[in-house]
Amino acid sequence: MAAVKVNGRTAEAKALRVERVVKATRELASAGGYEAVQMREVARVAQTALSTLYKYYAAKDDLIAAAVWSELDSLADDLLRRPPRQRTAEGRAGEVFVRAFLGMVRDPGFAHAAMSGYKTLREYNPDLGERPDESNEITVWSTPFGFIASTQAWGPDHRCTPMQSRTLAMLEDLWSASVVGWLNGDTSVDEVKRRLRLAAKRLLASDPAVLNGKSADIS
């Protein structure tokens, strides 16, 4: 097979450049957090022309969003290899958020960068869909988080109800706030894990009384 020209315009060459850019972004973020990810430095580490980098990424937050997107792909692959063993849908969904959180714990620098650019992640791939609105229509996702959790909870063919869509979005918001709290030293790893699992259990429980907020038991 002919060698791929890394600086060429083929799809293979573009894919290699993107892979190098994402890897460079991840390495810089891991070493120094959000501030360490600078366009010129990413271009240097990725051995990519700065003008080429700007062609595909308008700002550093777009680079970080691409790196986080890649991390979510890795999370999805890990869940396929090692599916959650919980017997309930809410237990399996909770495990998705716990594993994603533990991924941040293993790399605090990247976690800092990811949370600093988290708003951009939600806007990074507009083709994926919109956040749940007030129309009660079945929705898709602004990030793959909800899709990954839904797939693990109910299976790949499940079509979420508006209630489930909104609940998974709430769990994603709790997850991001929990990562920030852990980074700031306000919450321990074990406490975050407990909160994520409890929130998934209570919010996604099949008991209508719980879903309608009629249960006062939150132990």
Side-chain angles (χ1 to χ4, degrees):
M1 183 175 66
V4 174
K5 293 182 178 180
V6 174
N7 295 322
R9 297 183 178 180
T10 65
E12 292 89 347
K14 179 181 176 181
L16 284 174
R17 283 198 298 272
V18 169
E19 183 179 347
R20 290 208 311 266
V21 166
V22 169
K23 182 180 179 182
T25 300
R26 178 65 187 259
E27 290 175 353
L28 290 168
S30 295
Y34 182 75
E35 295 302 326
V37 180
Q38 301 296 329
M39 299 291 282
R40 188 175 297 277
E41 187 65 7
V42 170
R44 183 189 69 79
V45 174
Q47 298 182 322
T48 299
L50 186 60
S51 59
T52 300
L53 189 65
Y54 273 110
K55 181 179 179 181
Y56 296 104
Y57 304 96
K60 64 184 286 181
D61 281 2
D62 296 310
L63 288 169
I64 293 170
V68 175
W69 204 272
S70 177
E71 186 70 9
L72 288 170
D73 283 343
S74 298
L75 173 65
D77 290 342
D78 178 63
L79 288 163
L80 286 175
R81 292 191 301 269
R82 300 185 300 118
R85 296 182 178 180
Q86 286 74 10
R87 299 180 63 181
T88 63
E90 57 267 26
R92 293 189 293 273
E95 186 63 20
V96 170
F97 290 98
V98 168
R99 286 202 201 177
F101 169 67
L102 292 176
M104 296 290 101
V105 170
R106 288 190 289 270
D107 194 341
F110 180 69
H112 177 268
M115 292 301 100
S116 298
Y118 194 67
K119 181 177 182 295
T120 302
L121 171 64
R122 293 172 180 260
E123 301 168 350
Y124 180 68
N125 189 350
D127 292 334
L128 194 59
E130 301 175 351
R131 301 288 276 183
D133 56 26
E134 299 303 320
S135 65
N136 286 329
E137 296 292 332
I138 302 300
T139 57
V140 286
W141 312 100
S142 64
T143 76
F145 234 149
F147 177 75
I148 293 171
S150 172
T151 298
Q152 292 299 322
W154 298 290
D157 298 324
H158 178 75
R159 194 167 174 81
C160 282
T161 65
M163 172 81 73
Q164 290 168 340
S165 296
R166 289 184 175 88
T167 301
L168 289 173
M170 290 167 62
L171 288 169
E172 182 179 342
D173 290 340
L174 173 63
W175 176 88
S176 62
S178 297
V179 175
V180 172
W182 168 74
L183 284 169
N184 290 337
D186 298 330
T187 316
S188 70
V189 171
D190 287 341
E191 179 59 21
V192 170
K193 289 161 61 178
R194 283 192 290 266
R195 291 180 183 183
L196 291 171
R197 286 173 174 140
L198 176 60
K201 178 180 178 180
R202 294 304 185 187
L203 293 174
L204 286 172
S206 57
D207 183 354
V210 175
L211 284 177
N212 293 329
K214 297 178 180 178
S215 174
D217 178 14
I218 58 171
S219 62

